[in-house]
Amino acid sequence: MRSAERLSRLALGLLTVACAAIVLSPAPPWARAPFALLLVLWLPGRSLIGLALPATAWDAEARVIAVALSLSLTVVTGLALNVVGSLDAPGWVLSLAGIAILGLAATPSAASRDGHGGRGGAAGRSWRIGDLAILAIGLAMGGGALVYAREGANAHDQYRYTEMWLLPVGRAPGSSATLGLRNAERIRTSYDIEVLDGGKLVDRWPRIALDAGETRTMPVNATRGPVHRRLEARLFKDGERDRVYRQVWIDVPPEANPTTVRD
Amino acid sequence: MNAAAQGSTLAPGRDRKGIAMAPFRAALRLIGWGSPALVHASEGEGISLRRTALLSLGAGLSLCIAAFAANASRTGWPHAVETFYLAIALLFLPFAMRALSAGTGRTEQLANLLLLTLALFAIKMIREPTGFIDHDEFLHWSTANGIVETGRLFGENPLLPVSPLYPGLELATTALTHLSGLSVFEAGCMVLAVARLTFVGALFLTYQRICGSARIAACGCLVYMGASTFLVFDVQFSYESLAVPLVAALLLADARSQGADRARHVLVIMPVLFAALAVTHHMTGFFAAILFSGLAVLELLRRGVSGKARIWAFVTAALSVTPPLLWSHYVGNPTTGYLGPVVESGVREALSMLTMSMGRVPFVSEDGSVAPMWQRLVTVGSVGLTCLGLLLGFVRALSMAGLPMRGRLPDALSGIRDWGNSRLLLLTLVTLAFPLSIVFRLTRSGWEIGNRIGPFSFLGVGIVAAVAVAFFRPDGGYGSVRRTVLAVGALCVLVGGIISSQGPRILVPAEFQVSADSASVGPMGISFASWTKEWIGPGHVFAADRINRLLLATYGRQQVATSLQDGVDTGQAILAPTLADPDVARLRTGGVEYVTVDRRLSTGLPVVGVYFDGGANDNSYRRPPTPAALMKFDEAPRVGRAFDDGYIVTYDIRRLDAQR
């Protein structure tokens, strides 16, 4: 019995080390997630229960409390990590795995009783392949329902629209403003753009075609003069020149020495 | 001598008195006065995996129907909500029937309950499969984002300034985010699912410890699921969703802390749980303090309790009170200013309602829409059934706790301190909060208080109603008709609870609704908020309506002006017919750089009652703002119109004050 306990504790210790190593590895999130879950939601609490209640049967109650303890230890540990400025992955791994391993090391030998006694034991279970298959089908249907709901939510778009923006920040060399368009009309769409400086047409981009979801930006330069002026961009869709589909503008502040900066 | 003959020998006066008292005695018998103590039939330990597997198959099918309804709702199918509720009914009923069955062992009861809990959590995921959509979730999501980005706690969150001061849920979530690389949404859902399973597991095991019957415990959990907060509110990404499970774990730890293990439970396990609870949620922390203090008082009053047991009860109470008080003091007592006005106006309105002078019209939304008739009937039926359960179970539960609920009142009072089960007595007394929650729910400002009382009052309601059910058939041997009736009753309580919390807006509709939280969050608003992060950069101060400020703070990582944080109601400036000097002053005081105007606000009154965050005039709009009022910034000199998608327009007002 004592060797079984020791073996069980060793297995938990190895699991903790494995979890710590995997979550710090560059593995993708879906591969790291199960081990991170064990480290955050199970191992520290499991270890503390063993340490605090060595005479307790490892029953359903102890398991439930172990999960709650793990969550609580994570919260309390997070406060401590914040104090030392290590609220990051290495900090979490060191602290949570450390708690789990220290707890296991300090556990008296009678603590581990996995699978022995306890009221949540194996009494009356009848595990049949057919039952497990039905259970698996039920769970798969539940998972399928979630995937289906996700697809429905992703496909849901109440509006067809075009985003237009004009910002007084030049991203291209030499430009002083940026004009942007994003087509969310769900189909390829054709646009015309006019740029007016102080009410006067200074530039045009006719027949810009964007695919659904495509974004295009254009550099714009503003001429600074003695007074505040408005640099305005107007958007027309599908050749409808009588209706301004979108309009955006920026306020161009005055400058002592006005210079024409348009390309 | 038969009864008639006995009656004929009574004096005429006593006879009349006896006849007059007969209905009273019948009523007392009905509510359980003088009932014999409940003797459980023996219950097995085992599990029939076949039945559990079949239940999982039914649950899977129900979830498919629920997913179909959720997707159909997004395409405008008019019967989507009814179908969704039907799916919930199909999911719940078989589990309820099985829980009431005589042959269900303890392990199977627990396994089935956990399976049902997981399926009900999947219902929440079907509602919001790609991201958070409920209002409170955005508040805490913003806090979690702040922790992930800065690696520090206690940052600013203008949406809910108190949220960063109680970061329990966010810490557990961001730990998972840091370690796995999952998004906050994915990690949060995992934490919430585990917390929910822990809660129901702990509740079942606590009930089972307290009353000694797995069947009563399972029935109690099924009744608990009828709490209005159970299906949606308490699995939102919000602090009480972790705090309430911690309370259940504490109750379980306390219930099993007997004999030699007691010191270890009280001194090692419970302090960790209490500490985590204190930094997770203020209200739940204080509720736990009241609960464990109440338990200590009962143990002090109870006759025949050893001095040692009293000391441990006192120590537990001290442990429950100290962490929330210390933490509240450490973070600057933020809850007084935050909850105080809500409680004050709620109590004032409740008192006014009791004198019939005002109140909220039940089943009518703030925008005037009325819930369908079947929903009204189910909700009223749900409250009625809960009250009936309390009526039939309250005295019986007291009797089960060991109080002498029989004979003449003076005799009963003489043994009033002789109860044997303080925990059951306490939970029974907790049910007295249920009528209070109903009164609050009928008020406009106290609705939220009533809703928040729910998860706590139902800790008692669950077990008391289950005791009522068990007393009529302690062996659990209900015929299939009676089991069906009882299961349908439990279903009615469940659905009534969901309706009173979510009503007809449980699913995301096809069409946008004004200020309707989950029904207003859509891809267009998300795209705009993400645009601000990419093109303007995070950290700018935006003034926006209730929905866009949520999106800007989370997807856009912008600072948003709120009356909670700044004490300035920038909403008045956005809805004012013209841009007058006081409005400009409001925007300046709030440090606003950009104003976001959602033209869709002009299409209707706010469904939740406010366009912004309930500032000065936010509750008083009787008609929607005009489009001209919303677009008044077009005419303001030196204001840039930075973004336009046809519905949402953003103005750059950083130079606005220069010309005034």
Side-chain angles (χ1 to χ4, degrees), chain A residues 44-54 56 58 61-63 65-66 69 111, chain B residues 269:
Chain A
R46 166 71 182 83
S47 169
L48 190 65
I49 284 274
L51 180 65
L53 306 170
T56 301
W58 187 236
E61 291 178 349
R63 289 187 175 103
I65 292 176
L69 262 181
Chain B
I269 293 175

Side-chain angles (χ1 to χ4, degrees), chain B residues 222-300:
Chain B
L222 293 177
V223 174
Y224 186 94
M225 291 175 184
S228 61
T229 52
F230 184 82
L231 188 81
V232 177
F233 191 81
D234 278 347
V235 280
Q236 288 183 5
F237 188 70
S238 182
Y239 35 30
E240 61 273 335
S241 301
L242 177 59
V244 174
L246 290 180
V247 172
L250 277 162
L251 286 172
L252 176 61
D254 176 67
R256 65 176 264 147
S257 63
Q258 309 289 339
D261 277 350
R262 183 148 200 182
R264 295 193 186 98
H265 274 96
V266 174
L267 296 179
V268 180
I269 293 175
M270 294 177 80
V272 179
L273 295 172
F274 276 125
L277 177 61
V279 298
T280 298
H281 189 214
H282 38 77
M283 242 176 81
T284 312
F286 289 124
F287 169 77
I290 293 169
L291 202 66
F292 284 96
S293 301
L295 191 59
V297 169
L298 289 179
E299 285 292 272
L300 289 175

Side-chain angles (χ1 to χ4, degrees), chain A residues 52 56 119 131 163 247 249, chain B residues 45 50 256 264 527 641:
Chain A
T56 301
R119 288 189 292 174
D131 297 339
E163 292 175 344
Q247 61 187 135
W249 59 77
Chain B
E45 279 288 319
R50 168 60 56 90
R256 65 176 264 147
R264 295 193 186 98
S527 174
R641 181 165 151 144

Side-chain angles (χ1 to χ4, degrees), chain A residues 18-164:
Chain A
C19 286
I22 291 169
V23 297
L24 286 177
S25 75
W30 59 265
R32 281 189 282 155
F35 299 94
L37 272 173
L38 279 174
L39 207 51
V40 172
L41 302 173
W42 178 247
L43 290 168
R46 166 71 182 83
S47 169
L48 190 65
I49 284 274
L51 180 65
L53 306 170
T56 301
W58 187 236
D59 57 10
E61 291 178 349
R63 289 187 175 103
V64 168
I65 292 176
V67 177
L69 262 181
S70 266
L71 279 165
S72 301
L73 283 167
T74 304
V75 172
V76 175
T77 304
L79 294 176
L81 288 177
N82 182 59
V83 172
V84 296
S86 297
L87 213 49
D88 49 22
W92 281 115
V93 167
L94 275 177
S95 51
L96 294 176
I99 289 170
I101 287 174
L102 281 176
L104 287 170
T107 301
S109 62
S112 263
R113 286 192 178 185
D114 275 34
H116 303 284
R119 288 189 292 174
R125 282 180 192 157
S126 54
W127 303 91
R128 292 196 192 92
I129 295 290
D131 297 339
L132 288 173
I134 296 172
L135 191 65
I137 292 170
L139 294 175
M141 285 171 76
L146 290 178
V147 172
Y148 177 56
R150 196 177 169 86
E151 281 184 7
N154 282 330
H156 180 227
D157 204 344
Q158 295 155 319
Y159 300 97
R160 293 164 181 244
Y161 57 96
T162 299
E163 292 175 344
M164 185 185 196

Side-chain angles (χ1 to χ4, degrees), chain A residues 22-24 27-30 32-34 36-41 48-49 51-57 59-62 64-65 67-69 71-79 81-90 92-93 96 118-121 123-128 130-132 134-139 141-146 148-154 156-169 171 178 180 182 215 217 224 228 230 245-253, chain B residues 45-50 52-54 56-57 59-61 63-64 67-68 70-71 74-75 106-107 110 115 118 122 125-126 129-130 147 151-154 167-169 171-172 174-176 178-182 185-186 190-191 194-195 198 201-202 205 208-209 242 245-246 249 252-253 256 261 264-265 268-269 272-273 275-276 279-280 327 508-512 519 521-525 527-528 531 534-536 594 600 633-647 651-652 654-655:
Chain A
I22 291 169
V23 297
L24 286 177
W30 59 265
R32 281 189 282 155
L37 272 173
L38 279 174
L39 207 51
V40 172
L41 302 173
L48 190 65
I49 284 274
L51 180 65
L53 306 170
T56 301
D59 57 10
E61 291 178 349
V64 168
I65 292 176
V67 177
L69 262 181
L71 279 165
S72 301
L73 283 167
T74 304
V75 172
V76 175
T77 304
L79 294 176
L81 288 177
N82 182 59
V83 172
V84 296
S86 297
L87 213 49
D88 49 22
W92 281 115
V93 167
L96 294 176
R119 288 189 292 174
R125 282 180 192 157
S126 54
W127 303 91
R128 292 196 192 92
D131 297 339
L132 288 173
I134 296 172
L135 191 65
I137 292 170
L139 294 175
M141 285 171 76
L146 290 178
Y148 177 56
R150 196 177 169 86
E151 281 184 7
N154 282 330
H156 180 227
D157 204 344
Q158 295 155 319
Y159 300 97
R160 293 164 181 244
Y161 57 96
T162 299
E163 292 175 344
M164 185 185 196
W165 62 91
L166 181 59
L167 295 169
V169 181
R171 288 203 172 182
T178 303
R182 190 177 83 85
T215 299
T217 58
R224 292 196 169 191
H228 279 271
R230 183 180 274 190
Y245 187 55
R246 301 280 182 267
Q247 61 187 135
V248 287
W249 59 77
I250 55 174
D251 175 65
V252 183
Chain B
E45 279 288 319
I47 177 169
S48 160
L49 191 63
R50 168 60 56 90
T52 302
L54 288 173
S56 82
L57 201 60
L61 189 65
L63 291 176
C64 289
F68 164 77
N71 287 358
R74 291 191 175 93
T75 61
R106 175 180 179 268
T107 309
L110 180 57
L115 190 59
L118 200 60
M125 293 305 300
I126 285 171
T130 55
I147 295 172
R152 306 290 306 173
L153 297 180
F154 314 122
L169 176 65
L171 273 170
T174 53
L176 207 50
H178 277 126
L179 295 179
S180 66
L182 295 172
F185 172 68
E186 292 161 336
M190 286 184 181
V191 170
V194 171
T198 306
L205 294 166
Q208 206 254 337
R209 272 264 175 190
L242 177 59
L246 290 180
L252 176 61
R256 65 176 264 147
D261 277 350
R264 295 193 186 98
H265 274 96
V268 180
I269 293 175
V272 179
L273 295 172
V279 298
T280 298
W327 187 255
V508 175
E511 300 300 326
F512 172 87
V521 173
M524 188 170 72
S527 174
F528 156 66
W531 172 87
E534 184 185 349
W535 285 92
I536 298 181
Y594 296 91
R600 295 171 295 179
F633 291 94
D634 278 351
E635 310 305 324
R638 299 182 196 176
V639 168
R641 181 165 151 144
F643 177 92
D644 179 11
D645 67 13
Y647 302 89
Y651 295 97
D652 178 350
R654 287 175 295 178
R655 296 204 183 99

